[in-house]
Amino acid sequence: MGTLASALVPLVSRVSDAPRIYADANLPIGIVSAMRQSLGWDVFFVLEHDDLRRAPDREHFTRARDQGRTLITLDRDFLDERRYPSSSSGGVIVCSAPGERELLLLLTRLDRELFRAIAAAGGTVLAPLSGRKLDWHPGASLP
């Protein structure tokens, strides 16, 4: 039996075609604001939810999947396949950049090369990386 959030995922995809993102506590609030305002993403930010502020990584990993969201983080622990198997994820993007400006440029590139490209091809951006992980850094390319 799934959760209410997981049951609502198919309905949400009919309402909005914005990328659905789960931003963990490692992302700066300014970046989360830019994801929402500049990129137009639907972002669930854990720091805006008192019950999730100090939740363990495993809970974030599971909640992102259950909510049909792509987890975006700076935490390289999520690349550990033994602890966080790709096949059990809703998609994970681990970013690395030297500063907020570079991180925003990196996410803007991700938006253009992944999310907007999928939408332009007529696909859904609801969970484009479901079951996969992406180590996204300057110089990285999509698989």
Side-chain angles (χ1 to χ4, degrees), residues 68-129:
R69 294 179 179 272
T70 301
L71 172 65
I72 295 185
T73 183
L74 301 175
D75 186 347
R76 299 193 63 76
D77 289 348
F78 284 102
L79 294 173
D80 184 341
E81 272 298 304
R82 290 172 291 146
R83 290 173 56 200
Y84 307 102
S86 298
S87 60
S88 299
S89 80
V92 176
I93 301 171
V94 178
C95 297
S96 58
E100 282 191 42
R101 181 180 173 280
E102 294 86 359
L103 180 56
L104 182 55
L105 290 171
L106 196 63
L107 292 171
T108 301
R109 196 175 125 227
L110 179 71
D111 184 58
R112 182 181 63 248
E113 294 180 16
L114 179 66
F115 297 129
R116 302 236 184 249
I118 290 170
T124 179
V125 295
L126 184 60
L129 293 174

Side-chain angles (χ1 to χ4, degrees), residues 44 46-56 59-60 63:
F44 179 93
V46 300
L47 289 182
E48 296 170 340
H49 303 272
D50 290 337
D51 58 327
L52 294 175
R53 286 177 173 266
R54 290 178 175 60
E59 185 168 346
H60 295 305
R63 282 182 179 251

